[in-house]
Amino acid sequence: MANKKIFKPENIVNSTGGPRKSVLEELNLPPQAEEFLRVWHKPLLGLLVGIIVLVLGFSFGKQYTSSRTEQAASQLAQAMQLSDHAARREALAQVAASYRRTGAGIWSRIELAHIERDSGDLAAAAAAYEELLGSMAKRDPRSPMVRLNLAQVLAELGEYERAGGHYRQLATTQGFEAWGLLGSGELLARQGDEEAARRHYQQVVELTSAPPLLLEQAEQRLGN
């Protein structure tokens, strides 16, 4: 009786009649390269899979972040268009809570601090501006503006020492030197040191980059 075991190992041959070659053998690599891949192919494959996962994760993460940024900006724009004071405040608070560290989230928190100031709650406004300063990056271009608002509110509260510290820092911040000098001068004037105040006003007048409005205010303080 004929042997029916057709698929015997010895019967598995390639088209040329020889034994079937491995993938590495089919590549016709130099012996050293073939041996290297034979030993390291699993770790290399794992590394390749890891790189693919990282690339895909970064891509999806970037898309997610971009989507959240767009959603936050859209909600902020809608909130700013509301004419009803209470409704705008609530909408801004929702943006601040949902997208706290996005650009729109930070702007919503700034607007909420402005609302506190405009409503006369200076203590709440100062706390909001101070919290913002603590959470924003030092190089954030909005940081000096927040610091200026904080200094002004502290001055209104009569906390001259704290306000003065912020004005002095603004006086060394590019683009805000005039604000810092003028604010420092006004604090000194309130405390009765007119001579020191005039020195600060004079420094504002001598600034080539001073905004026209601040330059005019400094000249008025000097009696020019």
Side-chain angles (χ1 to χ4, degrees):
M1 185 175 181
N3 191 344
K4 295 181 179 181
K5 295 182 179 180
I6 299 174
F7 297 104
K8 295 181 180 180
E10 58 269 23
N11 292 333
I12 301 176
V13 295
N14 60 17
S15 59
T16 61
R20 189 179 297 275
K21 293 183 178 181
S22 67
V23 175
L24 291 177
E25 291 174 335
E26 291 286 352
L27 293 174
N28 293 321
L29 298 171
Q32 296 88 344
E34 182 178 334
E35 182 62 25
F36 175 82
L37 291 176
R38 195 182 304 280
V39 174
W40 292 97
H41 74 280
K42 288 185 178 180
L44 290 173
L45 182 60
L47 178 61
L48 178 61
V49 171
I51 291 174
I52 292 173
V53 170
L54 285 174
V55 170
L56 291 176
F58 174 78
S59 177
F60 289 135
K62 190 174 182 179
Q63 290 178 8
Y64 173 75
T65 301
S66 178
S67 176
R68 275 182 58 83
T69 300
E70 291 176 2
Q71 291 173 3
S74 175
Q75 290 188 28
L76 175 61
Q78 292 174 14
M80 294 300 294
Q81 291 174 359
L82 295 173
S83 57
D84 182 77
H85 180 80
R88 178 189 292 184
R89 185 171 189 165
E90 182 179 353
L92 288 169
Q94 289 178 356
V95 176
S98 301
Y99 308 98
R100 186 173 183 80
R101 294 194 176 277
T102 64
I106 292 175
W107 276 118
S108 66
R109 291 157 62 195
I110 292 173
E111 288 298 325
L112 286 169
H114 290 344
I115 289 174
E116 297 288 5
R117 182 180 181 180
D118 293 340
S119 67
D121 194 344
L122 298 182
Y129 289 131
E130 201 157 24
E131 190 275 333
L132 271 163
L133 272 183
S135 62
M136 295 170 68
K138 292 183 178 179
R139 295 188 177 182
D140 192 314
R142 294 163 295 193
S143 181
M145 182 265 291
V146 173
R147 187 179 300 281
L148 175 60
N149 279 274
L150 175 58
Q152 292 171 340
V153 170
L154 289 173
E156 291 178 54
L157 287 168
E159 298 189 32
Y160 297 150
E161 185 175 348
R162 292 177 62 196
H166 290 294
Y167 277 129
R168 285 191 293 273
Q169 189 161 344
L170 287 168
T172 61
T173 302
Q174 186 175 4
F176 285 82
E177 298 93 342
W179 292 100
L181 290 168
L182 185 64
S184 297
E186 290 179 341
L187 285 181
L188 290 166
R190 290 184 190 184
Q191 297 174 81
D193 195 344
E194 292 291 341
E195 184 178 349
R198 289 182 64 83
R199 286 199 298 269
H200 282 77
Y201 299 146
Q202 186 61 42
Q203 286 180 279
V204 176
V205 172
E206 293 172 358
L207 278 177
T208 57
S209 60
L213 177 61
L214 299 189
L215 181 60
E216 181 182 346
Q217 291 178 2
E219 289 176 341
Q220 288 177 352
R221 304 293 194 278
L222 290 168
N224 297 342

